[in-house]
Amino acid sequence: KYVPAEFIESATRGILQENDILVCKDGALTGKVALLREELKGQKAMINEHLFIIRCSDAVKQNYLFYFLFNKEGQMLLKSNITGSAQGGLNLTNLKNIKIPLPPLDVQQQIVLACPAIDEQAAQAKQTITQAKQEIEEKVREVLNDTRYDKVKLGNICTVSSGGTPSRNHSEYWTEGTIPWLRSEVCKGTDVTKATEFINELGLKNSNAKYFEQGTTLLALVGATKGKTAYLTFKATTNQNVAGLFSNDEKITINRFIFLICKGMYQDFIKDLSQYDMLNLTQIRNIKIPVPPLAIQQQLVLAIEALEARINAAQQIIDASAGQKQAVMGQYLLGGKENKTPLLNADKGQNPVGG
């Protein structure tokens, strides 16, 4: 959002500066913090009344303060000072009086050096993921656009069927269930590795639910995930809003290849079938996909598996970063024995009038 230039020129508070810490004052994100680095360099900007600015005169202390407040203990401290009914919020007095551990400057410096290094690793990992996903998309699109390969209807190379839902009015169909049962929400273009709902044999026999084998491509027929896919890594059943595609002969078409191609054709599905509120099995069977020689299919699958392994490794780095910063804090703060100092320089934002 933007405010008039004359408003920001006349404002007496809430004007942003580089390295300001922003604290969400109220709402669902109460207590969440952010550090303004160079995102708005050379631009004038300000906050509204739903944010606080925390600003220290010392750069090391400023960065230490951000990493502390961003850390688990800092978030717990902020949230413990939320007042008011319903969602509640932070008020300026409480924020200024929150006491935080303030170690010696050299210890702050060690924390400020260690945490950005972890952030940089996570940033590089995010870049790796972006590049790998782009490579996957390019490799699949290369096969889709290759005119040398015949295009064959899915119904000619796959069994295509849908699932069903045992009646919720019969609890005996669900009690002590051990058979995985999936909804269309699992279709997110990724592998399905677990189920959260289960039916039993009685529910299977008294409904249209049926087993889909490991290696089945799941395709959502309706709803927000319509046209999206998933790859089944275990034997399971689904509801009626999911179609299962399974190769008739993996010596002709590899199941993993079918999944990758259908995933890559999502935009085509949406464009060609957008007029339908719900896809049906006949439409799915009539979709044509390229079927290159088996060796080409295998090459694509192996290349993408390598890229997916790179993505998984990068994601592990990202997932570990919060814990690593937590460990840094634990290492240097000596179990919270440092002197604790109140936050005194919190600045409440100003709401633009008529902005």
Side-chain angles (χ1 to χ4, degrees):
K1 293 184 177 181
Y2 298 87
V3 296
E6 56 270 18
F7 179 85
I8 199 168
E9 292 294 341
S10 63
T12 58
R13 58 180 182 175
I15 307 299
L16 287 168
Q17 297 179 15
E18 189 173 329
N19 287 326
D20 277 348
I21 298 169
L22 306 182
V23 182
C24 189
K25 171 181 174 289
D26 48 34
L29 298 178
T30 301
K32 294 294 184 182
V33 298
L35 181 65
L36 184 67
R37 302 179 196 269
E38 297 184 351
E39 294 88 349
L40 296 174
K41 191 171 185 177
Q43 301 180 57
K44 292 182 178 180
M46 65 185 302
I47 61 172
N48 67 11
E49 76 279 12
H50 298 291
L51 292 171
F52 290 115
I53 295 174
I54 298 177
R55 185 180 299 150
C56 301
S57 57
D58 180 85
V60 173
K61 186 179 293 183
Q62 180 79 356
N63 282 281
Y64 161 74
L65 182 55
F66 167 71
Y67 284 113
F68 175 79
L69 293 176
F70 187 83
N71 198 42
K72 181 180 177 181
E73 282 79 7
Q75 284 294 290
M76 290 175 61
L77 192 57
L78 287 169
K79 286 178 170 49
S80 69
N81 280 273
I82 293 174
T83 58
S85 57
Q87 286 186 329
L90 293 167
N91 64 56
L92 191 57
T93 301
N94 282 358
L95 185 61
K96 285 183 175 181
N97 289 326
I98 290 174
K99 291 187 175 182
I100 65 165
L102 191 65
L105 192 61
D106 62 325
V107 175
Q108 294 180 43
Q109 183 70 58
Q110 292 297 321
I111 292 172
V112 168
L113 289 173
C115 288
I118 296 169
D119 286 340
E120 179 59 27
Q121 285 183 329
Q124 290 177 359
K126 289 179 182 178
Q127 187 175 0
T128 295
I129 290 173
T130 299
Q131 291 174 343
K133 286 182 176 180
Q134 184 176 347
E135 286 185 54
I136 289 173
E137 186 176 331
E138 289 171 353
K139 288 182 181 298
V140 172
R141 186 53 57 181
E142 185 178 332
V143 172
L144 287 170
N145 293 337
D146 198 320
T147 57
R148 295 175 298 169
Y149 308 139
D150 291 336
K151 291 198 172 183
V152 182
K153 290 181 178 181
L154 283 172
N156 292 340
I157 56 174
C158 300
T159 58
V160 180
S161 56
S162 61
T165 303
S167 173
R168 296 282 187 179
N169 294 326
H170 290 268
S171 60
E172 65 271 21
Y173 295 166
W174 300 83
T175 302
E176 298 182 355
T178 58
I179 301 169
W181 182 82
L182 305 169
R183 300 169 180 265
S184 59
E185 286 87 343
V186 301
C187 296
K188 300 176 180 177
T190 57
D191 290 0
V192 181
T193 58
K194 64 180 181 179
T196 58
E197 291 187 273
F198 299 85
I199 61 175
N200 56 36
E201 288 291 342
L202 191 61
L204 182 65
K205 291 176 182 177
N206 288 277
S207 71
N208 289 325
K210 61 180 66 66
Y211 276 116
F212 289 126
E213 297 296 329
Q214 176 183 342
T216 297
T217 293
L218 303 180
L219 194 151
L221 298 174
V222 69
T225 55
K226 182 178 72 172
K228 291 188 177 181
T229 54
Y231 185 78
L232 195 55
T233 63
F234 55 93
K235 190 175 181 179
T237 63
T238 72
N239 69 11
Q240 62 278 6
N241 296 329
V242 179
L245 287 60
F246 195 81
S247 175
N248 292 332
D249 187 349
E250 283 212 280
K251 293 179 181 178
I252 298 174
T253 320
I254 301 171
N255 274 311
R256 188 71 178 181
F257 174 81
I258 293 170
F259 164 68
L260 294 171
I261 292 297
C262 288
K263 176 183 175 181
M265 291 180 67
Y266 170 68
Q267 293 299 333
D268 301 304
F269 291 165
I270 295 303
K271 180 181 67 177
D272 297 339
L273 302 171
S274 60
Q275 68 270 36
Y276 302 104
D277 292 331
M278 181 173 183
L279 306 181
N280 61 54
L281 299 185
T282 299
Q283 291 166 336
I284 303 303
R285 293 186 182 108
N286 286 331
I287 292 172
K288 291 184 176 182
I289 69 168
V291 182
L294 200 62
I296 301 297
Q297 296 180 41
Q298 291 169 334
Q299 287 175 14
L300 179 68
V301 169
L302 290 174
I304 290 181
E305 284 180 348
L307 289 166
E308 288 174 339
R310 194 188 304 174
I311 290 171
N312 291 336
Q315 188 61 53
Q316 288 177 3
I317 292 173
I318 295 169
D319 293 342
S321 62
Q324 289 172 337
K325 285 187 282 189
Q326 180 87 9
V328 167
M329 289 292 179
Q331 176 185 350
Y332 287 109
L333 294 185
L334 305 175
K337 295 179 182 178
E338 291 73 19
N339 293 328
K340 293 192 174 183
T341 303
L343 296 172
L344 296 177
N345 294 318
D347 178 28
K348 186 178 179 182
Q350 180 179 357
N351 187 42
V353 178

